[in-house]
Amino acid sequence: MAVRLGLSLPQAQQYDIGRDVPDVARTAERIGYESLWVYERALFPEPATQGLYGIDGLAWPDLYRGVPDPLVTLTLAAAATERAGLGTSILVAPLHNPFQLAKSLATLDAASGGRVLAGFGTGWSLDEYAAAGVAPFEERGRVLNEIIDVCRAVWGPDPVTYEGRITRIASAVVGPKPARPIPVLLPTNSRKAMTRLVDRADGWMPIAMGADRLAAQWRQVQDLAAERGRSAPIETWVRINASHDPKGHDGADRSPFQGSTAQIVDDLAVHAERSGLDAFFFDFQGTARDAEELKDLAAEVYEAVRAAGV
């Protein structure tokens, strides 16, 4: 069975959000991509008080300057498309008020005809947490748990009631409701995060950084699901942070998905075969100079994947 393919929308500073997002979204759907994805970076601290991913001395990339709001970006894409899924990979959920986030996602899902895929994570930026002011960074895990619970309540039948540490909803009608139950997908970077995924979420959002590593992570998720008695299937979308170079890269030290179109397709085939997973999405926005180049690259890679029978 052919892998399902998605594409990240243009959010870097070289793009015009109002013009390029609808254009790329419409083109990607026409090419055959099944889903469209956004990520969240709330701000770019200058000077940075913390390194990238919380690692001392690691600089933030210029790609993170001026990243547009993810849900506004998805709304632009929704209005320009008819079928493609609309995913967040990831939304730093604890930066948002739980009730308002649940209502915004429900509204987008209702407006798009049931196409939202809610990828949530806790993030890592102390500056973003300070600016958002919803909860301290140290409470991010508990806040994410509450956000998932609030979403389930708000998206469910009326009257909605909820009592949590941040959110209190007295008996109320809350609409619009999603067109269908919105899948909540989570990454896993610890045993606690994996347990949250198995116990609370609908799906998994890993990053492809090596076929053997991805396969091993997937086995861990499946083993924990069996251990905790989960019988529901785990929907999975694998993020591919790709860097395209028409000339390719030689050598054993080449990182996965860094190189020519043929090399990227080969890497995809190996990741799909070894992991058994069948849904991947490419993020090429950092490697393209403008929307035209991004659309051309998206078409070239999609056609190459299908021609290779992946």
Side-chain angles (χ1 to χ4, degrees), residues 23-33 81 83 295 302:
D23 183 27
V24 171
R26 192 180 300 113
T27 301
E29 185 176 73
R30 185 168 60 246
I31 290 169
Y33 284 97
T81 56
R83 301 176 305 279
K295 291 187 295 182
Y302 185 91

Side-chain angles (χ1 to χ4, degrees), residues 43-51 60 65 127:
L43 48 73
F44 188 100
E46 202 168 45
T49 57
Q50 175 192 32
W60 289 48
R65 292 180 180 272
D127 293 288

Side-chain angles (χ1 to χ4, degrees), residues 30-106:
R30 185 168 60 246
I31 290 169
Y33 284 97
E34 294 186 27
S35 56
L36 304 166
W37 297 85
V38 295
Y39 73 100
E40 181 162 34
R41 197 80 282 138
L43 48 73
F44 188 100
E46 202 168 45
T49 57
Q50 175 192 32
L52 183 68
Y53 310 132
I55 301 172
D56 289 342
L58 190 60
W60 289 48
D62 283 342
L63 183 72
Y64 287 168
R65 292 180 180 272
V67 177
D69 180 87
L71 296 186
V72 172
T73 305
L74 278 187
T75 301
L76 292 168
T81 56
E82 297 178 353
R83 301 176 305 279
L86 306 165
T88 58
S89 175
I90 59 170
L91 195 75
V92 185
L95 301 182
H96 300 260
N97 173 279
F99 176 78
Q100 291 294 341
L101 177 58
K103 186 172 175 67
S104 294
L105 288 167

Side-chain angles (χ1 to χ4, degrees), residues 72-310:
V72 172
T73 305
L74 278 187
T75 301
L76 292 168
T81 56
E82 297 178 353
R83 301 176 305 279
L86 306 165
T88 58
S89 175
I90 59 170
L91 195 75
V92 185
L95 301 182
H96 300 260
N97 173 279
F99 176 78
Q100 291 294 341
L101 177 58
K103 186 172 175 67
S104 294
L105 288 167
T107 302
L108 180 57
D109 194 74
S112 65
R115 294 192 277 148
V116 172
L117 301 163
F120 292 160
T122 55
W124 46 265
S125 170
L126 300 176
D127 293 288
E128 289 182 336
Y129 272 80
V134 174
F137 180 77
E138 294 75 19
E139 298 180 12
R140 61 195 182 280
R142 284 182 290 181
V143 174
L144 177 55
N145 289 340
E146 180 164 324
I147 286 171
I148 294 171
D149 291 342
V150 170
C151 284
R152 303 291 193 205
V154 168
W155 300 342
D158 293 320
V160 175
T161 60
Y162 184 83
E163 187 74 39
R165 297 178 68 251
I166 298 174
T167 310
R168 181 180 183 274
I169 308 172
S171 181
V173 174
V174 183
K177 298 299 183 183
R180 92 301 189 211
I182 298 174
V184 172
L185 297 87
L186 301 175
T188 55
N189 53 14
S190 67
R191 174 79 178 192
K192 183 180 291 186
M194 192 177 297
T195 302
R196 179 184 292 116
L197 160 67
V198 168
D199 291 350
R200 291 176 172 268
D202 302 291
W204 181 42
M205 298 208 73
I207 299 175
M209 294 188 293
D212 291 336
R213 179 175 176 179
L214 179 64
Q217 289 175 327
W218 180 225
R219 285 193 298 272
Q220 289 179 333
V221 171
Q222 291 175 302
D223 289 346
L224 184 60
E227 176 185 320
R228 297 183 70 82
R230 175 173 176 145
S231 58
I234 297 175
E235 179 178 356
T236 301
W237 277 95
V238 183
R239 181 185 185 92
I240 296 172
N241 295 320
S243 179
H244 183 263
D245 182 350
K247 298 178 182 178
H249 295 291
D250 296 323
D253 59 345
R254 180 181 70 86
S255 297
F257 302 105
Q258 313 293 304
S260 67
T261 297
Q263 289 173 322
I264 289 172
V265 172
D266 287 345
D267 289 339
L268 175 63
V270 173
H271 278 70
E273 179 182 0
R274 293 187 186 173
S275 69
L277 299 171
D278 66 354
F280 297 79
F281 68 95
F282 291 107
D283 188 341
F284 289 118
Q285 62 178 306
T287 204
R289 291 171 293 185
D290 54 34
E292 291 304 314
E293 188 169 294
L294 178 58
K295 291 187 295 182
D296 289 345
L297 178 55
E300 178 182 326
V301 171
Y302 185 91
E303 291 166 5
V305 169
R306 294 301 179 229
V310 179

